[in-house]
Amino acid sequence: MKNYSIAKSRRLRSTPYTSRIEKQGVTAYTVYNHMLLPAAFGSIEDSYHHLKKDVQVWDVAAERQVEISGKDSSKLVQLMTCRDLSKSKIGRCYYCPIIDDNGNLINDPVILKLAEDKWWISIADSDVIFFAKGLSAGNSLDVKILEPRVDIMAIQGPKSFNLMEKVFGKAIKELKFFGFDYFDYRGTKHLIARSGWSKQGGFEVYVENTESGQDLYDYLFEIGKEFNVKPGCPNLIERIESGLLSYGNDFDNNDNPFECGFEKYVNLDADISFLGKEKLKKIKKEGIKRKLMGVYIDTDKINLTKSLNIKDDRDNFIGDLRSACYSPHFKKVIGIAMINEPYCKASTSGLLEIEGNSFTVKVCDLPFI
Amino acid sequence: MKNYSIAKSRRLRSTPYTSRIEKQGVTAYTVYNHMLLPAAFGSIEDSYHHLKKDVQVWDVAAERQVEISGKDSSKLVQLMTCRDLSKSKIGRCYYCPIIDDNGNLINDPVILKLAEDKWWISIADSDVIFFAKGLSAGNSLDVKILEPRVDIMAIQGPKSFNLMEKVFGKAIKELKFFGFDYFDYRGTKHLIARSGWSKQGGFEVYVENTESGQDLYDYLFEIGKEFNVKPGCPNLIERIESGLLSYGNDFDNNDNPFECGFEKYVNLDADISFLGKEKLKKIKKEGIKRKLMGVYIDTDKINLTKSLNIKDDRDNFIGDLRSACYSPHFKKVIGIAMINEPYCKASTSGLLEIEGNSFTVKVCDLPFI
């Protein structure tokens, strides 16, 4: 597998932490919301083991915010998602599929309710801001839409709780999952949520005061030695094992929320208005024709850079593999695939061809762990 | 300057030409519209000299299309741009700033009019499709919006005309600048425009039939030996010397079209409806406070990865440098910068600090050549 360089430019925006992670040994980047997102610090497998055991600090500034405020802000936010937000509370995060007019997915952000008339949509990799601007202009809504200067750093891993307690005191441990509050660091208030793109536990600091955030970043490494803190980034192996889906990888604007296992976030019976509602009712009634599933692949290495077709033993297409990695836990390759009816049920078998070699694929339910 | 790898995944989509350019020696990628865009085949300076002398074939599939068709398609397309399209003709390309409700830029695509009720918006790096979907839903327009499977390959450079004549015959040379038509290649019709992201002349083939496009790609190299054809990509040096602006690099959603020198594409007096029209009238009346300008920098190398501040000799901020390269033509570094009033006129001087060293900056008009 040949490596290619990333050609940096202003268009692939740096973060306030970029110079730090480059000193700390980042080796690979991906691009996410037009921004650099670290993808590796050397071995992804070493980083996976460390993340499951200790604690990591991640530069995830590429999780940009779309801030929607003003009189009609709740109306606009609801219009964009099929999840019922009518009973949502200030201080809580909500995982919300964003849906277009066809009932297909545009993004799967976490939405933070900051006030009755102020929201942050913490987005996956697509320009939700322009969807919001188009919808708002088209509906003549009274809202203000902008990308605030917020650069998230995540603290993830089982020891994140003790590390964060050392900085912010006991109160931070009482934060409930998907709750957020403001915590003081040397005189600056930071919005901190108990959330993050791993299943190992942890926090996300929504840094608005850049200087204080950079100082906090350094401080976490200073005082974190006893917890074996290391720099890290969203980990391909950990996220696939945990079944954390990725917009653009596992699903995109050609897929609907039922195909992606998001049923519990689709509130068709609620008395709310959102785009694609009638389309989703129709899809639900007719039933889906394919579904995101897990797969075990009978090999011990893979480097997936695009979809690969999965076929049955008579060479019929049964689905496409969208993410994959070698799993140290299962000691084989696992992946996430969009599998057609009637094959999308656990224990179905298929075949995957990689560079001329054929491997057995076994379908399973998500998540793996 | 350390190199970092790009972490490939399905989310950074490959193109139908990716496997070909990797065999041909691509060394660096950027990401553009969630897709891999080649950024270098070895030395950018060697490629610059070759592009100005001979002919190159480029994988620019990352220039994605937003297809808008249906009864209200003209209305929607016009709503998105400040350029008057009321007299636009089928078979022509139009460079059109896309504007939001605040009068700021969202993209600067070339729009192709395929039929009275069918358009392709050939976009720079932002998700115009979601802006269109939002606007369409908000205004209840009768349109169909999708990203068609179109993967552009560009043939650029002074010898592109003779190379293309060898494939398509004399007629291709009669295509006017920004005109397009359908041309036959071995029984398949391809939409070809006289356009491209260089000022060295050339064509863009909007490949809809992938297999035929890949075959054409190979054929161009087979028969192009006499023209010294090589693989290439949009060239940083050539595009800066030519003053070809880049969305995300030179300007973005924080800038308006007057600041970017797009006056001639802003038709405020036309009897047309578009977003931000009143805002742009106000901006025009009040006058702009800054402008994109060229700069000469008194050094012979630079590697710009983000904005750099330009100051006057009393340390006041006067603007920010957004793109830059060493220019073999001027034998110094040149760049594109957003310069504040009253400094945004030719011959103003400033200072730029790079890694502790201070260099003299001289402002000039765009384009350089």
Side-chain angles (χ1 to χ4, degrees):
Chain A
M1 194 68 199
K2 199 181 169 319
N3 277 334
Y4 298 94
S5 300
I6 190 163
K8 286 202 202 175
S9 70
R10 179 179 184 263
R11 187 171 53 76
L12 312 186
R13 299 176 289 179
S14 295
T15 87
Y17 319 113
T18 300
S19 62
R20 285 168 169 75
I21 65 171
E22 294 191 349
K23 276 184 201 133
Q24 289 174 318
V26 63
T27 50
Y29 282 114
T30 183
V31 175
Y32 200 88
N33 288 321
H34 314 278
M35 205 168 209
L36 297 173
L37 174 65
F41 288 78
S43 155
I44 289 178
E45 195 169 329
D46 289 350
S47 195
Y48 157 87
H49 290 298
H50 175 261
L51 171 63
K52 290 184 77 163
K53 198 165 56 74
D54 297 325
V55 54
Q56 297 182 352
V57 179
W58 295 358
D59 169 5
V60 284
E63 284 178 48
R64 305 309 290 170
Q65 308 308 304
V66 178
E67 178 176 306
I68 300 186
S69 60
K71 195 167 74 67
D72 294 330
S73 58
S74 300
K75 192 174 166 186
L76 177 58
V77 171
Q78 184 63 77
L79 202 54
M80 294 164 73
T81 178
C82 53
R83 180 166 181 181
D84 182 3
L85 291 174
S86 61
K87 291 175 194 73
S88 58
K89 292 187 181 74
I90 294 166
R92 294 287 304 163
C93 305
Y94 298 89
Y95 181 69
C96 295
I98 304 282
I99 307 290
D100 71 13
D101 221 15
N102 296 320
N104 283 337
L105 286 149
I106 280 185
N107 204 288
D108 66 328
V110 167
I111 298 183
L112 287 75
K113 186 170 184 170
L114 300 171
E116 287 304 332
D117 60 354
K118 188 175 175 185
W119 307 74
W120 278 352
I121 307 181
S122 193
I123 56 173
D125 181 32
S126 71
D127 296 334
V128 170
I129 190 166
F130 297 138
F131 185 56
K133 284 188 176 198
L135 265 177
S136 156
N139 286 293
S140 304
L141 297 179
D142 183 2
V143 291
K144 203 172 151 188
I145 301 166
L146 55 91
E147 182 181 311
R149 190 178 295 187
V150 172
D151 298 288
I152 300 180
M153 101 177 72
I155 296 89
Q156 300 284 302
K159 294 183 183 161
S160 61
F161 300 94
N162 288 337
L163 173 57
M164 288 293 272
E165 184 184 11
K166 215 170 153 183
V167 186
F168 296 101
K170 266 195 173 19
I172 197 104
K173 277 184 159 174
E174 285 153 23
L175 206 52
K176 288 202 170 68
F177 184 68
F178 265 33
F180 68 82
D181 208 339
Y182 287 86
F183 294 87
D184 180 84
Y185 172 67
R186 293 180 176 170
T188 301
K189 293 268 176 214
H190 290 276
L191 189 163
I192 302 182
R194 201 176 134 203
S195 58
W197 217 37
S198 87
K199 285 270 172 88
Q200 307 311 314
F203 302 88
E204 292 184 297
V205 187
Y206 285 69
V207 173
E208 294 177 88
N209 181 322
T210 302
E211 216 172 309
S212 172
Q214 289 170 325
D215 187 37
L216 172 59
Y217 185 96
D218 296 337
Y219 186 62
L220 287 165
F221 285 95
E222 230 177 275
I223 62 160
K225 290 193 184 79
E226 63 169 305
F227 307 113
N228 193 25
V229 65
K230 287 190 182 174
C233 52
N235 186 282
L236 183 69
I237 305 171
E238 197 277 339
R239 80 120 182 126
I240 294 179
E241 281 187 358
S242 305
L244 286 170
L245 300 182
S246 163
Y247 181 82
N249 284 315
D250 306 314
F251 64 96
D252 60 32
N253 195 228
N254 297 302
D255 307 313
N256 70 53
F258 295 113
E259 291 167 338
C260 302
F262 295 150
E263 294 88 355
K264 65 174 170 172
Y265 307 113
V266 185
N267 301 130
L268 293 175
D269 299 327
D271 184 24
I272 50 171
S273 240
F274 60 85
L275 242 62
K277 193 173 183 180
E278 293 312 310
K279 270 277 166 59
L280 288 180
K281 280 184 180 170
K282 189 164 172 269
I283 292 166
K284 192 180 178 184
K285 199 177 153 195
E286 292 174 355
I288 49 172
K289 289 161 193 71
R290 53 191 200 141
K291 199 167 175 13
L292 277 187
M293 302 292 291
V295 290
Y296 295 102
I297 306 168
D298 228 1
T299 175
D300 60 2
K301 61 170 182 284
I302 196 163
N303 201 321
L304 197 75
T305 60
K306 57 180 181 179
S307 290
L308 289 182
N309 290 347
I310 302 171
K311 298 184 170 180
D312 70 8
D313 53 10
R314 280 163 307 174
D315 213 35
N316 298 310
F317 174 84
I318 66 172
D320 67 299
L321 180 65
R322 297 181 170 188
S323 295
C325 67
Y326 173 74
S327 159
H329 182 88
F330 294 103
K331 302 207 182 335
K332 61 174 70 177
V333 168
I334 60 171
I336 296 168
M338 185 62 89
I339 307 283
N340 287 350
E341 282 284 0
Y343 305 92
C344 52
K345 53 177 181 280
S347 300
T348 305
S349 282
L351 290 168
L352 181 73
E353 203 171 291
I354 308 174
E355 289 168 8
N357 297 310
S358 195
F359 300 96
T360 303
V361 170
K362 202 168 167 186
V363 176
C364 67
D365 290 315
L366 285 172
F368 291 94
I369 294 180
Chain B
M1 195 67 198
K2 198 179 169 320
N3 277 334
Y4 299 95
S5 300
I6 190 162
K8 287 202 201 175
S9 70
R10 180 180 184 263
R11 188 172 53 77
L12 312 186
R13 298 176 288 179
S14 296
T15 85
Y17 319 113
T18 299
S19 63
R20 285 168 170 76
I21 66 171
E22 295 192 349
K23 276 184 201 132
Q24 289 174 319
V26 64
T27 51
Y29 282 114
T30 183
V31 175
Y32 199 89
N33 288 321
H34 314 278
M35 204 168 210
L36 297 174
L37 174 66
F41 288 78
S43 156
I44 289 178
E45 195 169 328
D46 289 351
S47 194
Y48 158 87
H49 289 298
H50 176 261
L51 172 63
K52 291 183 76 162
K53 199 165 53 75
D54 296 325
V55 54
Q56 296 182 353
V57 179
W58 296 357
D59 168 5
V60 284
E63 285 177 50
R64 304 309 290 170
Q65 309 307 305
V66 179
E67 178 176 307
I68 300 185
S69 60
K71 194 168 75 67
D72 293 330
S73 58
S74 299
K75 193 174 167 186
L76 176 59
V77 171
Q78 183 63 78
L79 202 54
M80 295 164 73
T81 178
C82 53
R83 180 167 182 181
D84 181 3
L85 292 174
S86 62
K87 291 175 196 73
S88 58
K89 292 186 181 76
I90 294 165
R92 295 286 304 163
C93 305
Y94 298 89
Y95 181 69
C96 294
I98 303 283
I99 307 291
D100 71 13
D101 221 15
N102 296 318
N104 284 336
L105 286 149
I106 280 184
N107 203 288
D108 66 328
V110 167
I111 299 183
L112 287 75
K113 186 170 184 172
L114 300 171
E116 287 304 330
D117 60 355
K118 188 175 176 187
W119 307 73
W120 278 352
I121 308 182
S122 193
I123 55 172
D125 180 32
S126 72
D127 295 334
V128 170
I129 190 166
F130 297 138
F131 185 56
K133 285 189 174 197
L135 265 177
S136 156
N139 285 292
S140 305
L141 297 179
D142 183 2
V143 291
K144 203 173 153 189
I145 301 166
L146 55 91
E147 181 181 312
R149 190 177 295 186
V150 172
D151 298 288
I152 300 180
M153 102 178 68
I155 295 91
Q156 300 283 302
K159 294 183 183 161
S160 61
F161 300 94
N162 287 337
L163 173 56
M164 289 292 272
E165 184 184 10
K166 217 170 152 182
V167 185
F168 296 100
K170 266 195 173 19
I172 197 103
K173 277 184 159 175
E174 284 153 25
L175 205 53
K176 288 203 172 66
F177 183 68
F178 264 33
F180 68 82
D181 209 340
Y182 287 86
F183 294 87
D184 180 85
Y185 171 68
R186 294 180 175 171
T188 301
K189 292 269 175 213
H190 290 277
L191 189 163
I192 302 182
R194 202 176 134 203
S195 59
W197 217 35
S198 87
K199 285 271 171 87
Q200 307 311 314
F203 303 88
E204 292 183 298
V205 187
Y206 286 69
V207 173
E208 293 176 89
N209 182 323
T210 302
E211 215 172 311
S212 172
Q214 290 171 325
D215 187 37
L216 171 60
Y217 185 95
D218 296 337
Y219 186 60
L220 286 166
F221 284 95
E222 232 177 273
I223 62 158
K225 289 193 184 81
E226 63 170 304
F227 308 113
N228 192 25
V229 66
K230 288 189 181 173
C233 53
N235 187 283
L236 183 70
I237 306 171
E238 197 276 340
R239 82 121 181 125
I240 294 179
E241 281 187 358
S242 306
L244 286 171
L245 300 182
S246 162
Y247 181 82
N249 284 314
D250 305 316
F251 64 97
D252 59 33
N253 194 229
N254 298 300
D255 308 311
N256 71 53
F258 295 113
E259 292 167 339
C260 301
F262 295 151
E263 295 87 355
K264 66 174 171 174
Y265 307 112
V266 185
N267 301 130
L268 294 175
D269 298 328
D271 185 25
I272 52 172
S273 241
F274 60 85
L275 241 63
K277 192 174 185 181
E278 293 312 310
K279 269 277 166 58
L280 289 179
K281 280 184 181 171
K282 190 163 172 270
I283 292 166
K284 192 181 178 182
K285 199 178 153 194
E286 291 174 355
I288 50 171
K289 289 161 191 71
R290 51 189 201 143
K291 198 167 177 11
L292 277 187
M293 302 290 292
V295 290
Y296 295 103
I297 306 168
D298 228 2
T299 176
D300 61 3
K301 61 168 180 285
I302 196 163
N303 201 320
L304 198 75
T305 60
K306 57 181 179 178
S307 289
L308 288 181
N309 290 347
I310 302 172
K311 299 185 170 181
D312 70 6
D313 52 11
R314 282 164 303 177
D315 213 35
N316 298 310
F317 174 84
I318 66 173
D320 68 297
L321 180 65
R322 297 180 170 188
S323 295
C325 66
Y326 172 75
S327 159
H329 182 87
F330 294 104
K331 303 209 184 329
K332 61 174 69 177
V333 168
I334 60 172
I336 296 168
M338 184 62 89
I339 307 283
N340 287 350
E341 281 285 0
Y343 305 92
C344 53
K345 53 177 181 282
S347 299
T348 304
S349 282
L351 290 169
L352 181 73
E353 206 171 288
I354 308 175
E355 289 168 9
N357 297 310
S358 194
F359 299 97
T360 303
V361 170
K362 204 168 166 188
V363 176
C364 67
D365 291 315
L366 286 171
F368 291 94
I369 293 178

